């Protein structure tokens, strides 16, 4: 009986150390999510590339506008000439030598009056600039999603490692106790073998958790370009799960159709494709330009040495294309095929945006129920562990039952952590699907974190 009491005391100490290890960790300074996001803005290569694409795309508007504006050119030449003239006369061969310098300078202006191709190019430039801006906005929201996902992956990996280490330590202590009891004639080989099996499994899980944490940290480093420091962790009472506002799936679907960044980008892309068709067809149409020029010349040839000319000209130039061997018609058909391609891409992107909105809307609502259920599961597992301990003290439960209860508590805490992080990601992706994800959401999430 005394041996059983000593065993009970050892088990109680063991359970106490496990519960402490599974509880909240001491608060340490950590880098916040806002800090990590600022690092990602300046350090993520994909986002930097998207910013460069946006800057390049904005110039399409300037290029299109240039086709409507006048072109002005200045030209000038100056040459030294030497002419040896020979001719037969009644007096024989006679000749003259001319050495002179000739010069010519001019300026010309051309203003398009009617050029359908240039007008379509102007409209296309506007569409391409808008497309570049929409793609950039999509990349910005994607950066938020990727940054938060990488951040939470590190937190989840750290949680899993902490729990794996706690479980490992508990099994080591349980094995030590089983071996002592066996030496004293109170334990069994079965208890030792079971504790060893669980300890070995815990070692493997700890190694896997360590590797997962390192991979998660390097994934975060890839985004920020900086060695990740200790991160601020999610507060124990966060998030407070709430359903989407409004809790109306049809409204979120409508927002996804109208405001999803990928959909908006392809709408501008479709308009650009339409202008491609207009540009191709305009090559059948006439063009009309206003032209003006002024030129000055001096000693243009050997019969006008020391003669100067000042010429001014203003007029219009009409060009009517008649036949281009079928090139224009082929170009039109090619542009129309390109337009049909973009139309299908837009339809596909719209369907994907709707599917994403549905999926993440349901994910947020499911997450609300899961977090509440897993929090209750953790509370129940803790109660079950305490009850098992009391049953062990009363002699109706075994050490194996305690180990099983510990394992159940570990699994419940792991599932709760996954559900909390999963809820946050579904919430973020839902906002991204409707194009409303921004830095205000980063600030909101940052309020859910507590220093580690």
């Amino acid at each position: 009986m005394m041996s059983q009491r000593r065993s009970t005391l050892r088990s109680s100490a063991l359970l106490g150390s496990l519960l402490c290890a599974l509880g909240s960790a001491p608060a340490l300074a950590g880098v916040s999510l806002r800090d990590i996001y600022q690092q990602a803005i300046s350090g993520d290569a994909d986002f930097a590339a998207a910013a460069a694409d946006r800057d390049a795309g904005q110039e399409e508007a300037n290029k299109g506008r240039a086709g409507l504006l006048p072109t002005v050119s200045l030209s000038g030449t100056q040459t030294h000439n030497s002419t040896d003239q020979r001719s037969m006369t009644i007096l024989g061969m006679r000749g003259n030598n001319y050495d002179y310098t000739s010069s010519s300078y001019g300026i010309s202006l051309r203003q398009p009056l009617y050029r359908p191709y240039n007008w379509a190019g102007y409209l296309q430039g506007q569409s391409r600039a808008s497309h570049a801006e929409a793609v950039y906005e999509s990349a910005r929201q994607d950066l938020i999603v990727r940054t938060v996902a990488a951040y939470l992956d590190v937190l989840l990996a750290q949680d899993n490692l902490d729990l794996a280490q706690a479980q490992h330590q508990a099994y080591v202590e349980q094995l030590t106790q089983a071996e002592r009891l066996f030496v004293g004639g109170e334990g069994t080989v079965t208890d030792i073998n079971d504790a060893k099996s669980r300890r070995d499994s815990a070692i493997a899980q700890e190694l896997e958790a360590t590797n997962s944490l390192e991979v998660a940290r390097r994934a975060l480093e890839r985004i920020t370009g900086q060695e990740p420091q200790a991160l601020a962790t999610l507060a124990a009472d966060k998030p407070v799960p709430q359903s989407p506002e409004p809790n109306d799936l049809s409204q979120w679907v409508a927002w996804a159709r109208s405001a999803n960044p990928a959909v908006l980008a392809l709408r501008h892309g479709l308009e650009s494709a339409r202008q491609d068709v207009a540009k191709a067809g305009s090559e059948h149409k006439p063009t009309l330009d206003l032209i003006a020029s002024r030129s000055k010349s001096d000693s243009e040839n050997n019969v006008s040495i020391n003669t100067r000319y000042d010429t001014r000209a203003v007029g219009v130039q009409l060009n009517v294309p008649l036949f281009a061997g079928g090139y224009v018609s082929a170009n039109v058909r090619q542009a129309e095929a390109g337009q049909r391609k973009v139309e299908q891409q837009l339809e596909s992107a719209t369907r994907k945006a709707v599917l994403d909105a549905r999926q993440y809307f349901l994910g947020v609502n499911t997450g609300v129920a899961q977090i509440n259920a897993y929090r209750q599961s953790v509370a129940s597992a803790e109660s079950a562990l305490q009850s098992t301990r009391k049953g062990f003290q009363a002699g109706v439960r075994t050490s194996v039952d305690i180990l099983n209860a510990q394992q159940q508590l570990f699994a419940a805490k792991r599932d709760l952590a996954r559900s909390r992080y999963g809820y946050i990601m579904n919430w973020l992706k839902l906002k991204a699907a409707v194009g409303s994800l921004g830095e205000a959401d980063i600030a909101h999430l940052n309020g859910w974190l507590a220093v580690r």
Side-chain angles (χ1 to χ4, degrees), residues 94-113:
R94 294 290 185 269
N96 295 309
N97 292 321
Y98 302 96
D99 289 308
Y100 63 96
T101 299
S102 63
S103 60
S104 175
Y105 305 95
I107 184 170
S108 63
L109 177 145
R110 180 181 294 271
Q111 171 62 56
L113 298 179

Side-chain angles (χ1 to χ4, degrees), residues 21-72:
L22 291 173
S24 58
L28 300 174
V31 181
S32 71
L33 178 59
R34 183 186 288 112
D35 296 332
I36 293 295
Y37 177 63
Q38 292 302 321
Q39 293 175 10
I41 289 178
S42 60
D44 182 63
D46 292 339
F47 184 66
D53 276 343
R54 188 271 309 268
D55 294 341
Q58 293 300 311
E59 298 303 323
E60 293 291 341
N62 296 328
K63 289 167 60 178
R65 184 168 56 252
L68 304 181
L69 301 178
T71 59
V72 181

Side-chain angles (χ1 to χ4, degrees), residues 75-288:
S75 63
T77 60
Q78 183 172 350
T79 60
H80 178 73
N81 305 280
S82 179
T83 303
D84 185 9
Q85 181 185 14
R86 292 286 184 270
S87 61
M88 180 63 69
T89 69
I90 59 176
L91 299 176
M93 186 67 71
R94 294 290 185 269
N96 295 309
N97 292 321
Y98 302 96
D99 289 308
Y100 63 96
T101 299
S102 63
S103 60
S104 175
Y105 305 95
I107 184 170
S108 63
L109 177 145
R110 180 181 294 271
Q111 171 62 56
L113 298 179
Y114 178 73
R115 280 185 175 264
Y117 185 95
N118 291 23
W119 178 249
Y122 167 74
L123 296 178
Q124 186 178 56
Q126 300 296 316
S127 298
R128 286 179 173 177
S130 298
H131 174 268
E133 188 63 36
V135 171
Y136 173 77
E137 175 61 21
S138 179
R140 187 188 64 80
Q141 296 196 31
D142 179 66
L143 177 65
I144 294 177
V145 172
R146 290 188 294 112
T147 301
V148 175
Y151 188 100
L152 296 182
D153 282 346
V154 173
L155 297 189
L156 178 60
Q158 184 63 60
D159 287 348
N160 287 337
L161 178 58
D162 291 343
L163 291 172
Q165 289 173 339
Q167 194 77 0
H168 177 204
Q169 182 60 32
Y171 290 154
V172 168
E173 294 179 3
Q174 189 70 31
L175 175 59
T176 301
Q177 176 181 322
E179 290 173 342
R180 288 176 181 173
L181 291 175
F182 180 76
V183 171
E186 301 176 10
T188 66
V189 174
T190 300
D191 291 338
I192 294 176
N193 291 336
D194 186 74
K196 281 184 178 180
S197 175
R198 292 176 187 261
R199 180 205 60 186
D200 294 340
S201 177
I203 292 174
Q205 292 176 4
E206 185 178 347
L207 290 174
E208 182 180 357
T210 301
N211 291 339
S212 296
L213 176 59
E214 180 62 20
V215 171
R217 287 169 57 84
R218 296 310 160 194
L220 181 60
E221 181 182 8
R222 177 181 179 273
I223 296 174
T224 63
Q226 299 184 29
E227 178 76 19
Q229 305 298 318
L231 303 180
T233 59
L234 193 62
D237 59 341
K238 300 294 183 181
V240 178
Q242 296 178 341
S243 296
E245 181 59 38
N247 195 12
D248 180 4
L249 178 57
S250 62
Q251 181 62 67
W252 288 92
V253 167
W255 285 338
R257 289 181 181 276
S258 62
N260 180 271
V263 172
L264 291 178
L266 281 169
R267 282 179 184 162
H268 294 303
L270 178 57
E271 181 59 30
S272 176
R274 288 173 179 152
Q275 297 307 322
D276 263 334
V277 176
K279 286 169 65 177
S282 68
E283 296 184 32
H284 277 306
K285 300 178 180 179
T287 63
L288 183 65

Side-chain angles (χ1 to χ4, degrees), residues 81 102 241 256 414 420 436:
N81 305 280
S102 63
R414 180 197 60 206
R420 294 163 72 201
S436 64

